[in-house]
Amino acid sequence: MPRKAFVADLKAVIANRPYNAHGIVDLKAGNDDGSFVFKYRGAEDASQAIRLEASVTDVGDYPSSHGYLVYTTSESVPEAITKALEEFGVFAGLNISSMLRKFSQVMNTATAGSRSNLVPINEDDMDIDRSPLVEFSEEEEEKGEHENEQRDENEDKDEDEDEYEEYDEEEVYDFSSHSYERADSTHRSNIRTTESSTNSQFNARVRADLRTAKAAGFRVGHLGSLLDHGQDCFVTVSIRIAKLGISDEALQAWHLDPEQYLTLIIHYVSGYRSLDQLVAEDLSYNRLNVEIRVGISRRYKISLREALDVFSQIKGKQQRETGVLTSEGINLSPVPETEDGLHDFFISRPLNELLNVRLLALSRYRVAMGMPWNGAEAFYNDQQGRNVDGSDSMDWRYYKPEDVSSTDNLPDLVTSDHLTGLPLPKVSDLSFPLIAIQFTLRHLVRCTEFCLVCHCKIDADFEALKPYVCDKPLCLYQYLNLGFGPSVEHEILSQPDVVDLLVSFCYASASTGRLKSFPHGLGLMVPAPSLMPERAIGPSSSRHHGLMSSSQPVQNGKDIPPPTTYKARFDKATSELIFQHGDKPLKVGDWIIMSVPGVMEKHHRTVIEVLYPTVKVGCPLPLLSISDEESRLSLNMPDPQDLTPAATPPSSINVDPLIHPEAEIIIYEVHFDEISESSQRDSICMLLDTLPTVRSMQSFLRAKHTSLRQWTDRISPAALGVLRWIIASNRSCIIQSDNHGEGWRRAEERVKGMKGYLQFRFAQGAPDKEQRFIKAVRETTARLGLKYPTMFAWHGSPLQNWHGIVREGLHFKEVLNGRVFGNGVYHSLELLTSLGYSNPYYVPYGDTGMSRIGWPHSHLRLSQALSLNEIINAPEEFVSKTPHLVVHQLDWIQTRYLFVKCNNSDIGGSEERVPTEAFEQDPSYNPIGFSQERIVIPITAVSKSRRPATKSLKSGNKRSKVESIVELVDEVYLSDATDIEDVQILCSQSEAEAEEQQVDSDSLIGKGKASELPDEPILFDSSKTDFVPGELDHSSLPLLAPPSYATSQATKALQRELKSLLKVQDAQPAHELGWYLDPELITNVYQWIVELHSFEAQLPLAEDLKQKGLKSIILELRFGKEFPYSPPFVRVIRPRFLPFLHGGGGHVTAGGALCMELLTNTGWNPASSIESVLLQVRLAISSTDPRPARLERGPVRDYSTGEALEAFRRACLTHGWQVPADLEHITAG
């Protein structure tokens, strides 16, 4: 019985007291049925404990579908806790123990950093599963337990004794999802009190699982109390994206940085669970207690606070709790944007769903029945909703080896399978973290092979670049209607101009009556077409000025009910509608069109509060002009409406017709699918008119919002539905080829000869169309023996046609410009010929420079578009090849580039440059651009698998320079030290203890470390460098004693860095390395003396050094207690450089400090190694941009620490960089 289960759970939790470890004490039964009271103690002083009471919403629903109401009975409760309680939620379906753990996690996070909370939430090595914050003596504990037992006995007398006698204690151990959790919670609490040998066995298993993942080539980390049966702990498994074998074009299309890590985080809510436990226990229980997230990060692991944010139910609140939110959702005191933490990427949502819903079940099938991944996935899909019969698993299809031909070029790291050869005699040898990351890589690196909704394998005969959904009706419905698959928000963040382009095309198509496909089945609610406000529209629309005809629209022979207009009085001062005569037509979240005749034109608003007879509405839309809205978003300015508090109406309202004029109200209450196609086009334009600019949406999402659904007072559900449909229905992979801060890679993709046009590259067309094209290329090439399988040609078309072309491809169903040379799609090798067909309906619209048919909120403001298409090179089989190329075979045509002209003076194409590698074209059919010059098409125009022989158009020096830069970056990737706690957990118990003892016994003196290094001599070739190590006068250097601020964390990290750096120094020739670190000069690990030497002879700096008889530049590196989370302070000791104002350079300030963002909090990355820092410092000093470094004239002098510190502060102030917080301590010596 539910009530019995509640009482039994409460008694078990009180008796075992596991909640003390989370700051919760004095748990007792409440006065009311289904309630309990407790205290949250965030400080050592018991008097500051906060009294709380929790009530189950319905004891009859316990323990499956109930919730909790939590409130405090204390006075003077801290504001952070009050806010957290408001956002706490009901935590539906959790038993008492799990609810208390979740509650304490929320409280600890909310009060992080406050004086009333002792949990160091900002420390990366924080352990949330600590011993009690307040220690109890044995006498106190016994007394508390006795009081609880006495209270329970007293309460038992008031209850029906027979009810308890009938209750079987065995029910606590029933293996249903929730009762099992209660039994397991009690069992684990007992384990923590057993002999230490049990913990040793548990710890050995944890270490074995992590070692297995590490040995497979992954970076492994942990957060929280992973060992000794700790709870609320995390395991991270990561891999550098550069190591996954993903092609450059796929990285670009997926917006992934090879320097980033793909990071998988497993959250063990109730403690670590091994694979054999996970496959043996109830799946529903494990899904509650094992949570998985995947994302990208800059370091191999994230901090504990960031991990808590990832899984927290009030993430948005935590990130914005110190600021004030405007109605635009912009934080007036925002958390600074950083690169730390775990970030979503293009398919994070479907991957997270796959991992959390299916991975455990698939692992169970593989372990129990020995299926490969493809068989287990097929079995899962076939058995959904059915009882699994043993005979079902015997189908040979489930055991058929997978075709892995597509993985031939992938590294073993990606294709390895930890479960190969199952069933194994010992499942205990298998590591679940390794299985999880391998399964993740299967569906990330090979994401184009799987449907993003049902995750089934897609049979495609071409190399897809963009992941997509299969053609099953349910998958298509979920993709377009429910937002499954790639994230629309990710597209807005990563490619705002592409989103602007797609919306502009749709708007042009709808406003001219050319739109043929519609967002049906989305449940869109729109205003009645006959009541929508007038707007200036294109010549082909169903209406021009004024309102539409009052006749009722008819769709599918079905009359639409006549529209209803509501009336109410409007208080402009409070933005409130006052309804009379008992009308109650509105509810919170409704969208309306409102007008006040003679005072206010029709505009759109949302209902934000309903307290009849008054209804508070939001700001009118369009809210501001385009430029004003973008400016306010970028400056985080509040919306004036947001500053007006919601009004609570008095018992009686005096309506003054002069102050409260009558308003007319039209509700979004008509189903979009039921109106005529003409009205649907007008409705789409109307909804797009209400959208903010794409850049405004981008700013909203960057302000720590995860979805546009959160912008409830700015974007209506119907407008958001249309936007999602526009983006999701485009199945082509479109990438902007203009160079917007992405270096030479984007510039390499631009077609040479199209200056002044924005360029968009179709990296892949719609999947079905692309597949037919590839098949036709192969067949025609084999049949005709073509040397040049394809050619390129221009095609021009008005803006209103491109919405359909992008989705369906080119066709010739309609005759728009005549067909003198036959039926087919017309192309030309002459740009000017196609240009004439691209904008016949262009008409200036007001003084904005926008097209009459253009989306008014477009940043691009398109006026013209034409494409460069790839066509199978068989002109003899065309309908016509002169003067135009008329191609009848639609599968022979695929758009590769789209060129658009913008009426925005702030937008222009990137500078012209010849691509390094060009597509080799048929000399007889080479497209002509402006000025009658042949255009140069980059090799990236076609997929990598189809690229013919390349033609280099750049000098060897330039190309080798680019390659050397890439190689240099790859080398920097290699240095990313493992945290000491992660090293220790990978060791055995004895090894970990020995490691800890070694670290603790090490002094801060660094000389002894040299003996641990190889004995090989350092490589110095006198013919290649004049530098000689060991000649530096020690007495001339400002050597420091070990600092008083030294910490164990920083000391361990510096010892690792020092050891690594000396190994590199011993392994590489000095003239190639360019720096030297003398181990004898490391008097403490917090100060390093480094010499930079062997500069290129042609540098003015090298000449100055030679003239002064110097062979090196002497640097000092000082480290603070926060290292590696805070950068080192780097300065030049000697010689002095010529200041920048006097003609110097090399990024050396007038005081000798380095002017580099890398060395500030703004640019520092904890993953950076000192090896990479030295490399970048040397490159900066060697740089000749804007001027080369020079030494000051006269005798050699030293810089002082004080002047370096002041110069560094000035540089940070000038550039807006953040000064490291521990700088004063670092430079105090």
Side-chain angles (χ1 to χ4, degrees):
M1 296 176 63
R3 187 177 178 283
K4 293 179 181 179
F6 173 81
V7 173
D9 274 3
L10 184 57
K11 292 179 65 176
V13 174
I14 292 174
N16 290 296
R17 304 185 65 181
Y19 49 87
N20 277 342
H22 302 277
I24 294 177
V25 296
D26 295 345
L27 176 64
K28 302 176 183 178
N31 295 327
D32 299 325
D33 190 33
S35 68
F36 54 91
V37 295
F38 60 94
K39 293 180 181 179
Y40 172 72
R41 196 188 305 274
E44 295 180 358
D45 185 359
S47 64
Q48 295 184 12
I50 299 168
R51 298 187 302 274
L52 298 127
E53 184 164 348
S55 299
V56 175
T57 54
D58 189 343
V59 178
D61 292 333
Y62 191 88
S64 56
S65 56
H66 67 289
Y68 295 90
L69 297 177
V70 183
Y71 55 93
T72 178
T73 58
S74 296
E75 297 180 356
S76 303
V77 178
E79 183 181 358
I81 292 182
T82 301
K83 292 180 178 179
L85 284 173
E86 293 174 357
E87 298 293 329
F88 179 67
V90 297
F91 284 165
L94 295 183
N95 66 8
I96 296 173
S97 178
S98 297
M99 173 268 183
L100 289 173
R101 285 196 300 271
K102 284 289 186 182
F103 179 84
S104 64
Q105 179 180 326
V106 170
M107 291 297 106
N108 290 338
T109 304
T111 59
S114 68
R115 293 183 179 180
S116 62
N117 183 16
L118 301 182
V119 182
I121 197 75
N122 290 319
E123 295 185 12
D124 289 354
D125 58 348
M126 168 198 154
D127 180 356
I128 66 172
D129 187 33
R130 299 180 182 273
S131 57
L133 295 178
V134 179
E135 298 293 338
F136 292 91
S137 65
E138 292 183 4
E139 292 79 8
E140 289 174 326
E141 291 191 355
E142 291 176 358
K143 179 180 179 181
E145 290 176 2
H146 176 73
E147 290 176 352
N148 290 335
E149 291 173 0
Q150 185 66 38
R151 181 185 182 94
D152 291 338
E153 290 174 2
N154 294 335
E155 291 176 351
D156 288 347
K157 296 177 182 179
D158 300 330
E159 302 293 341
D160 185 358
E161 296 181 2
D162 293 337
E163 183 178 351
Y164 290 95
E165 292 173 358
E166 294 174 1
Y167 182 71
D168 186 359
E169 194 69 24
E170 292 287 328
E171 291 184 32
V172 180
Y173 300 91
D174 184 11
F175 280 79
S176 63
S177 61
H178 296 279
S179 58
Y180 182 85
E181 182 179 357
R182 297 194 300 274
D184 189 74
S185 177
T186 304
H187 177 61
R188 282 194 302 276
S189 66
N190 292 334
I191 288 179
R192 287 192 292 271
T193 63
T194 58
E195 299 178 359
S196 59
S197 59
T198 305
N199 278 341
S200 298
Q201 295 174 0
F202 176 85
N203 295 345
R205 177 58 193 269
V206 173
R207 289 190 169 100
D209 285 355
L210 299 189
R211 280 178 164 179
T212 302
K214 177 73 173 177
F218 297 95
R219 303 293 299 274
V220 179
H222 80 285
L223 301 162
S225 295
L226 186 61
L227 300 179
D228 298 331
H229 293 90
Q231 298 186 8
D232 259 333
C233 52
F234 304 83
V235 168
T236 68
V237 187
S238 58
I239 185 68
R240 187 87 73 172
I241 288 177
K243 298 182 179 181
L244 299 181
I246 303 174
S247 66
D248 290 342
E249 59 183 348
L251 287 175
Q252 184 179 1
W254 301 349
H255 309 290
L256 294 177
D257 184 348
E259 184 181 357
Q260 296 171 326
Y261 282 94
L262 175 75
T263 301
L264 179 84
I265 305 181
I266 307 175
H267 181 202
Y268 296 97
V269 178
S270 299
Y272 184 82
R273 318 293 288 169
S274 60
L275 179 65
D276 43 342
Q277 290 175 298
L278 292 174
V279 299
E281 295 169 350
D282 185 79
L283 285 179
S284 59
Y285 163 70
N286 282 326
R287 285 170 182 161
L288 287 173
N289 290 277
V290 178
E291 303 172 315
I292 306 175
R293 295 290 186 275
V294 63
I296 55 176
S297 59
R298 286 292 175 186
R299 195 165 182 264
Y300 81 94
K301 65 183 279 192
I302 62 178
S303 69
L304 181 57
R305 177 165 189 168
E306 291 161 349
L308 291 172
D309 282 345
V310 169
F311 293 95
S312 174
Q313 295 189 27
I314 59 170
K315 174 182 176 182
K317 182 69 175 178
Q318 293 170 354
Q319 292 173 332
R320 302 188 298 273
E321 61 184 2
T322 58
V324 179
L325 292 180
T326 71
S327 64
E328 302 290 350
I330 305 304
N331 190 356
L332 302 186
S333 302
V335 178
E337 287 284 349
T338 67
E339 294 183 347
D340 298 331
L342 192 75
H343 302 281
D344 288 339
F345 55 98
F346 71 117
I347 57 170
S348 286
R349 175 177 173 176
L351 269 183
N352 285 328
E353 179 196 12
L354 177 67
L355 290 167
N356 286 284
V357 175
R358 300 193 182 188
L359 178 58
L360 290 176
L362 296 175
S363 299
R364 173 178 289 184
Y365 298 155
R366 295 206 62 190
V367 169
M369 295 180 279
M371 298 174 178
W373 280 124
N374 60 305
E377 290 168 337
F379 182 77
Y380 181 95
N381 288 316
D382 293 344
Q383 302 303 323
Q384 287 190 85
R386 297 173 52 190
N387 292 323
V388 179
D389 188 335
S391 60
D392 294 334
S393 63
M394 300 306 294
D395 194 317
W396 66 271
R397 295 183 298 111
Y398 302 135
Y399 298 89
K400 183 179 179 181
E402 185 175 13
D403 179 11
V404 293
S405 58
S406 62
T407 66
D408 290 343
N409 297 324
L410 294 177
D412 292 340
L413 188 84
V414 175
T415 59
S416 297
D417 185 359
H418 187 43
L419 290 167
T420 300
L422 290 178
L424 294 176
K426 293 179 64 178
V427 182
S428 59
D429 292 337
L430 301 173
S431 166
F432 179 70
L434 177 57
I435 293 171
I437 188 65
Q438 288 180 343
F439 183 71
T440 302
L441 292 183
R442 167 183 170 84
H443 282 270
L444 169 63
V445 180
R446 299 169 57 190
C447 63
T448 57
E449 301 178 28
F450 300 92
C451 172
L452 285 175
V453 175
C454 70
H455 306 290
C456 294
K457 195 77 178 291
I458 297 176
D459 295 326
D461 190 27
F462 74 104
E463 182 185 353
L465 186 60
K466 179 181 178 180
Y468 54 98
V469 298
C470 63
D471 55 4
K472 296 175 185 175
L474 180 59
C475 291
L476 291 174
Y477 172 81
Q478 291 178 322
Y479 177 53
L480 295 176
N481 298 14
L482 305 180
F484 286 29
S487 166
V488 171
E489 285 78 9
H490 183 270
E491 292 295 318
I492 292 173
L493 286 170
S494 59
Q495 295 207 106
D497 284 351
V498 173
V499 175
D500 195 315
L501 179 83
L502 295 174
V503 174
S504 297
F505 282 162
C506 181
Y507 192 96
S509 181
S511 64
T512 56
R514 298 286 299 165
L515 189 65
K516 305 298 182 184
S517 59
F518 301 94
H520 290 159
L522 302 186
L524 303 181
M525 303 300 291
V526 297
S530 61
L531 298 178
M532 284 193 294
E534 63 182 77
R535 58 180 192 81
I537 50 181
S540 301
S541 176
S542 57
R543 54 194 173 95
H544 299 275
H545 296 282
L547 297 178
M548 290 182 58
S549 170
S550 60
S551 61
Q552 295 175 214
V554 178
Q555 176 75 358
N556 299 326
K558 180 179 178 181
D559 292 346
I560 304 301
T564 302
T565 300
Y566 300 92
K567 297 184 183 296
R569 296 291 177 174
F570 180 61
D571 187 339
K572 187 176 181 180
T574 60
S575 292
E576 290 180 341
L577 294 169
I578 305 171
F579 284 87
Q580 298 173 316
H581 312 299
D583 290 339
K584 297 182 179 181
L586 299 176
K587 61 182 182 298
V588 174
D590 280 348
W591 277 78
I592 61 174
I593 295 178
M594 194 182 98
S595 65
V596 179
V599 178
M600 187 181 298
E601 296 181 352
K602 289 186 177 182
H603 56 273
H604 303 255
R605 294 179 185 246
T606 184
V607 177
I608 61 178
E609 184 179 72
V610 175
L611 294 169
Y612 281 113
T614 65
V615 173
K616 188 173 181 63
V617 294
C619 300
L621 302 182
L623 183 64
L624 300 166
S625 68
I626 298 173
S627 58
D628 287 343
E629 182 172 32
E630 290 182 356
S631 298
R632 181 165 57 79
L633 283 167
S634 63
L635 296 175
N636 293 322
M637 294 169 56
D639 189 303
Q641 176 66 31
D642 188 66
L643 302 180
T644 304
T648 301
S651 57
S652 62
I653 300 176
N654 296 320
V655 177
D656 186 341
L658 296 178
I659 301 176
H660 305 127
E662 188 174 66
E664 295 182 354
I665 302 162
I666 306 166
I667 307 177
Y668 286 34
E669 58 182 355
V670 176
H671 287 279
F672 178 87
D673 297 4
E674 297 179 356
I675 60 179
S676 66
E677 288 190 355
S678 176
S679 297
Q680 288 179 352
R681 296 187 187 97
D682 290 329
S683 294
I684 287 175
C685 290
M686 179 274 296
L687 292 171
L688 294 180
D689 283 340
T690 67
L691 280 178
T693 66
V694 176
R695 292 195 173 191
S696 297
M697 291 185 275
Q698 187 183 50
S699 297
F700 175 82
L701 293 171
R702 284 177 173 171
K704 301 294 185 183
H705 295 87
T706 58
S707 172
L708 291 176
R709 296 181 190 273
Q710 297 170 296
W711 208 353
T712 54
D713 62 344
R714 184 62 182 88
I715 303 178
S716 68
L720 181 57
V722 171
L723 176 65
R724 290 186 180 277
W725 169 74
I726 291 172
I727 298 175
S729 62
N730 167 49
R731 302 177 73 195
S732 302
C733 182
I734 305 175
I735 301 174
Q736 187 171 359
S737 297
D738 296 279
N739 179 14
H740 293 308
E742 297 196 26
W744 60 276
R745 291 185 183 274
R746 284 289 176 95
E748 284 285 306
E749 298 171 2
R750 282 181 57 84
V751 174
K752 173 70 167 60
M754 292 298 293
K755 187 175 182 179
Y757 280 78
L758 284 186
Q759 300 190 16
F760 296 88
R761 181 170 68 91
F762 281 65
Q764 173 193 300
D768 51 345
K769 182 75 168 61
E770 188 78 33
Q771 185 169 354
R772 293 195 301 270
F773 176 77
I774 297 299
K775 182 179 180 181
V777 170
R778 293 171 180 168
E779 292 176 350
T780 308
T781 301
R783 177 167 56 85
L784 301 179
L786 299 176
K787 179 180 179 181
Y788 303 99
T790 60
M791 66 168 74
F792 284 82
W794 303 104
H795 177 81
S797 191
L799 287 177
Q800 56 265 33
N801 293 339
W802 285 103
H803 176 84
I805 294 174
V806 167
R807 285 154 179 77
E808 304 168 10
L810 292 163
H811 58 76
F812 49 93
K813 298 175 183 177
E814 301 173 274
V815 179
L816 299 178
N817 297 295
R819 295 183 180 174
V820 177
F821 299 97
N823 292 327
V825 180
Y826 281 63
H827 293 79
S828 177
L829 295 175
E830 296 283 344
L831 170 65
L832 297 179
T833 299
S834 296
L835 209 57
Y837 292 89
S838 63
N839 62 336
Y841 298 121
Y842 170 72
V843 180
Y845 184 70
D847 58 357
T848 64
M850 289 185 289
S851 162
R852 183 176 182 180
I853 61 175
W855 180 39
H857 295 298
S858 171
H859 177 71
L860 299 180
R861 303 180 189 178
L862 307 182
S863 63
Q864 190 178 53
L866 73 158
S867 64
L868 184 64
N869 298 338
E870 185 180 13
I871 309 170
I872 293 180
N873 190 13
E876 299 300 327
E877 299 183 17
F878 294 170
V879 174
S880 174
K881 63 178 181 179
T882 182
H884 306 297
L885 303 176
V886 183
V887 184
H888 183 272
Q889 303 91 332
L890 297 182
D891 291 342
W892 285 21
I893 308 168
Q894 193 71 312
T895 298
R896 293 305 179 202
Y897 276 90
L898 186 66
F899 304 90
V900 298
K901 193 73 172 178
C902 302
N903 283 340
N904 186 340
S905 59
D906 297 333
I907 298 176
S910 301
E911 61 177 298
E912 290 280 272
R913 59 172 292 172
V914 179
T916 302
E917 293 180 341
F919 180 83
E920 190 171 357
Q921 304 180 59
D922 186 342
S924 303
Y925 294 93
N926 201 320
I928 305 299
F930 291 110
S931 304
Q932 297 300 302
E933 295 180 356
R934 293 186 173 186
I935 64 170
V936 180
I937 303 173
I939 192 64
T940 53
V942 298
S943 63
K944 194 170 184 179
S945 61
R946 295 181 46 240
R947 292 173 188 173
T950 60
K951 178 181 179 182
S952 178
L953 299 177
K954 290 285 184 181
S955 65
N957 292 336
K958 179 67 175 179
R959 183 62 182 170
S960 62
K961 181 178 180 180
V962 171
E963 290 176 349
S964 66
I965 292 175
V966 175
E967 292 173 0
L968 180 63
V969 173
D970 287 340
E971 288 296 323
V972 174
Y973 290 168
L974 299 177
S975 300
D976 187 16
T978 302
D979 289 351
I980 187 64
E981 60 267 24
D982 294 331
V983 174
Q984 291 174 342
I985 203 169
L986 293 172
C987 302
S988 66
Q989 188 71 24
S990 58
E991 291 170 337
E993 292 171 355
E995 173 75 12
E996 185 66 35
Q997 292 171 3
Q998 176 63 36
V999 172
D1000 291 341
S1001 64
D1002 286 337
S1003 68
L1004 299 181
I1005 305 300
K1007 294 182 179 181
K1009 292 294 178 182
S1011 62
E1012 300 176 9
L1013 301 173
D1015 295 330
E1016 291 86 349
I1018 301 174
L1019 305 177
F1020 286 94
D1021 187 342
S1022 58
S1023 65
K1024 296 182 179 180
T1025 180
D1026 60 353
F1027 176 75
V1028 179
E1031 292 190 344
L1032 196 58
D1033 182 5
H1034 295 195
S1035 63
S1036 67
L1037 301 173
L1039 301 180
L1040 304 175
S1044 59
Y1045 58 74
T1047 63
S1048 175
Q1049 172 185 280
T1051 301
K1052 294 172 185 177
L1054 287 169
Q1055 287 172 338
R1056 291 196 306 270
E1057 288 285 351
L1058 179 61
K1059 187 173 182 179
S1060 173
L1061 209 63
L1062 293 176
K1063 284 185 177 181
V1064 171
Q1065 181 172 271
D1066 285 350
Q1068 295 188 26
H1071 66 277
E1072 294 181 3
L1073 203 57
W1075 53 262
Y1076 174 70
L1077 174 64
D1078 190 346
E1080 296 298 322
L1081 287 175
I1082 306 298
T1083 58
N1084 79 80
V1085 292
Y1086 287 83
Q1087 182 195 35
W1088 298 4
I1089 305 297
V1090 178
E1091 295 179 83
L1092 301 183
H1093 58 82
S1094 305
F1095 293 95
E1096 296 183 13
Q1098 65 270 24
L1099 287 176
L1101 176 61
E1103 298 176 1
D1104 290 351
L1105 286 170
K1106 187 173 183 181
Q1107 290 178 2
K1108 290 183 177 292
L1110 301 175
K1111 298 178 182 179
S1112 66
I1113 295 171
I1114 304 172
L1115 301 181
E1116 179 189 23
L1117 281 69
R1118 295 191 186 186
F1119 303 89
K1121 63 180 180 180
E1122 300 297 331
F1123 183 83
Y1125 303 105
S1126 183
F1129 177 64
V1130 182
R1131 72 178 186 99
V1132 176
I1133 296 179
R1134 75 172 77 100
R1136 296 180 74 97
F1137 283 66
L1138 191 66
F1140 185 81
L1141 293 178
H1142 297 166
H1147 301 269
V1148 179
T1149 65
L1154 271 296
C1155 183
M1156 297 175 64
E1157 185 179 12
L1158 168 72
L1159 302 176
T1160 69
N1161 274 5
T1162 306
W1164 178 250
N1165 187 337
S1168 299
S1169 67
I1170 301 304
E1171 177 191 352
S1172 67
V1173 170
L1174 292 178
L1175 176 63
Q1176 294 180 67
V1177 167
R1178 193 177 191 281
L1179 289 174
I1181 292 178
S1182 302
S1183 173
T1184 59
D1185 183 25
R1187 292 194 293 265
R1190 302 299 301 266
L1191 300 183
E1192 74 169 4
R1193 299 175 183 176
V1196 177
R1197 297 188 300 151
D1198 288 7
Y1199 289 104
S1200 69
T1201 304
E1203 62 180 322
L1205 174 62
E1206 291 303 317
F1208 180 74
R1209 288 187 181 278
R1210 288 196 301 270
C1212 290
L1213 180 63
T1214 300
H1215 295 286
W1217 299 333
Q1218 184 179 1
V1219 177
D1222 56 358
L1223 184 63
E1224 292 291 346
H1225 294 288
I1226 296 176
T1227 56

